[in-house]
């Protein structure tokens, strides 16, 4: 089968499309004919050897997959997953014509959802929902400030906060990105490269912003924290700008705010009950058609390096999907 292979740590352009052996499902696993895979910013870090967990090359990158069941591994009842069933889930090795998926991580794709939407719904929407539901405990009517609001995690956060009936202030870096956020339901927007983020948060929310969700870091974090209302919650999710901010602790003292971190890789182990509840609620929202990802760009498998470059340079609106014919 064909797959995108990382032979050595480096930039996306050094990935190669190669013929590799077909994977064989082990106990509890499903062999999936990949139809679509979604790209996330951590994929860029994985291939560069800069993620928190390093995977020795060579390896096939990609974490979100949607496709059709080809076969089930030992220990799975044949009736549980039938060949041809449309499923999605998170795995490793998604940028290929076939991939393995743990059966307990698989979700049936609703009839009205395409493979691209199903692949794009996994990591970013789980990250956003855990951050909103469990970490920040967002309530109906509260103002939620979303940084990097037109990116993968950011736009998922906008979508879910709107679905939770919160009021969203979307912060992004261009009129095009802000217009997309408004179309997705944001009640207010701020261009944080051209406007004063702290003062605009206070003005637009009436000094009542209860939550900041920050997947970007860099120079945006501190002014967003300063814009929070007293007693608010700031959730750090990642550092897409490439810079980890240093926050003056006196702000926490003076404003009585809470700063929390949420990492999707460890959330299930740290908070198993909340994670199980969140995943079930999120699956119900997707099945009911309440939320669907916005796909801003699509690439064929052979152009996966270009897709990763698109994400690395923060040019993406919503999600980027790899289509595998």
């Amino acid at each position: 089968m064909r797959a995108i292979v990382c032979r050595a740590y480096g930039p996306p352009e050094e990935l190669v499309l190669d013929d590799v052996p077909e994977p064989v499902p082990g106990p509890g696993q499903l062999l999936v004919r990949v139809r679509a895979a979604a790209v996330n910013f951590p994929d860029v870090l994985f291939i560069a050897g800069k993620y928190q967990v390093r995977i020795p090359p060579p390896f096939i990158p990609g974490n979100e997959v949607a496709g059709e069941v080809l076969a089930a591994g030992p220990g799975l009842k044949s009736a549980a997953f039938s060949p041809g069933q449309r499923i999605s889930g998170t795995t490793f090795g998604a940028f290929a014509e076939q991939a393995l998926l743990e059966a307990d991580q698989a979700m049936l794709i609703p009839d009205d959802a395409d493979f691209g939407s199903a692949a794009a719904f996994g990591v970013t929407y789980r990250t956003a929902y855990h951050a909103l539901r469990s970490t920040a405990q967002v309530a109906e009517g509260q103002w939620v400030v979303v940084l990097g609001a037109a990116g993968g995690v950011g736009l998922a956060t906008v979508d879910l906060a709107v679905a939770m009936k919160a009021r969203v202030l979307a912060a992004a870096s261009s009129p095009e990105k802000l217009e997309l956020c408004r179309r997705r339901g944001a009640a207010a927007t701020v261009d944080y490269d051209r406007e004063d983020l702290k003062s605009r948060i206070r003005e637009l929310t009436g000094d009542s912003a209860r939550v900041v969700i920050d997947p970007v870091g860099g120079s945006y974090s501190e002014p967003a924290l300063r814009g929070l209302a007293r007693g608010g919650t700031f959730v750090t999710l990642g550092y897409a700008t490439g810079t980890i901010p240093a926050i003056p602790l006196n702000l926490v003292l003076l404003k009585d705010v809470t700063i929390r971190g949420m990492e999707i890789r460890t959330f299930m182990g740290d908070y198993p009950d909340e994670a199980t509840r969140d995943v079930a609620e999120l699956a119900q929202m997707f099945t009911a058609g309440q939320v669907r990802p916005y796909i801003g760009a699509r690439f064929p498998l052979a152009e996966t390096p270009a897709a990763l470059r698109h994400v690395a340079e923060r040019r993406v609106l919503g999600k980027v999907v790899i289509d595998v014919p």
Side-chain angles (χ1 to χ4, degrees), residues 3-320:
I4 296 294
V5 179
C6 176
R7 292 176 175 167
Y9 294 136
E13 290 74 19
E14 293 183 6
L15 296 173
V16 295
L17 180 64
D18 205 354
D19 287 317
V20 301
E22 295 182 0
V24 177
Q29 292 183 322
L30 299 168
L31 178 62
V32 179
R33 170 62 170 96
V34 178
R35 296 298 182 183
V39 182
N40 296 292
F41 186 75
D43 295 325
V44 179
L45 301 179
F46 269 118
I47 64 172
K50 296 180 179 180
Y51 195 66
Q52 294 97 320
V53 177
R54 289 164 63 95
I55 298 175
F59 63 85
I60 301 170
N63 287 280
E64 293 184 289
V65 65
E68 299 148 343
V69 175
L70 290 177
L76 286 177
K77 296 179 181 179
S78 58
F81 292 96
S82 304
Q85 275 187 315
R86 303 189 327 137
I87 62 171
S88 63
T90 56
T91 184
F92 198 81
F95 300 157
E97 291 179 329
Q98 296 180 22
L100 297 177
L101 181 61
E102 298 294 330
D104 59 5
Q105 298 292 317
M107 183 175 74
L108 290 173
I109 300 174
D111 292 339
D112 65 342
D114 66 0
F115 286 117
S117 293
F121 191 73
V123 173
T124 54
Y125 279 80
R126 286 212 322 274
T127 300
Y129 198 61
H130 291 328
L132 291 166
R133 176 78 161 92
S134 293
T135 305
Q137 299 179 3
V138 169
E140 181 177 341
Q142 288 184 334
W143 274 105
V144 176
V145 179
V146 183
L147 306 186
V153 171
L155 199 57
T157 305
V158 171
D159 288 346
L160 292 171
V162 169
M164 297 167 72
K165 299 183 180 179
R167 292 183 289 177
V168 175
L169 193 167
S173 60
S174 73
E176 179 187 16
K177 292 178 178 179
L178 296 177
E179 173 58 28
L180 173 60
C181 293
R182 286 190 289 269
R183 294 204 310 267
R184 302 295 283 194
T189 57
V190 55
D191 186 330
Y192 50 31
D193 282 351
R194 295 168 179 82
E195 301 178 82
D196 183 83
L197 182 58
K198 179 191 73 173
S199 62
R200 290 296 283 159
I201 289 174
R202 290 178 173 177
E203 291 168 9
L204 292 169
T205 67
D207 202 18
S208 61
R210 301 304 307 170
V211 174
V212 170
I213 304 293
D214 178 12
V216 295
S219 61
Y220 307 114
S221 299
E222 184 176 330
L225 178 64
R226 290 179 180 272
L228 259 180
R230 286 189 60 81
T233 300
F234 184 102
V235 183
T236 176
L237 298 180
Y239 312 102
T241 61
T243 301
I244 299 174
I247 300 296
L249 280 180
N250 67 311
L251 293 178
V252 179
L253 183 151
L254 295 172
K255 295 175 68 67
D256 187 27
V257 295
T258 299
I259 298 178
R260 295 197 60 185
M262 204 294 294
E263 185 189 21
I264 188 67
R265 184 176 59 89
T266 57
F267 187 80
M268 177 68 79
D270 292 340
Y271 305 98
D273 294 340
E274 291 90 341
T276 299
R277 177 202 63 198
D278 291 355
V279 169
E281 292 176 355
L282 197 55
Q284 178 58 37
M285 294 169 76
F286 186 67
T287 299
Q290 191 175 357
V291 285
R292 287 286 187 272
Y294 177 84
I295 298 174
R298 306 182 83 117
F299 295 81
L301 182 63
E303 295 180 18
T304 297
L308 286 159
R309 175 57 61 192
H310 195 70
V311 171
E313 295 180 353
R314 297 175 60 204
R315 289 184 280 129
V316 61
L317 295 176
K319 292 287 289 195
V320 171

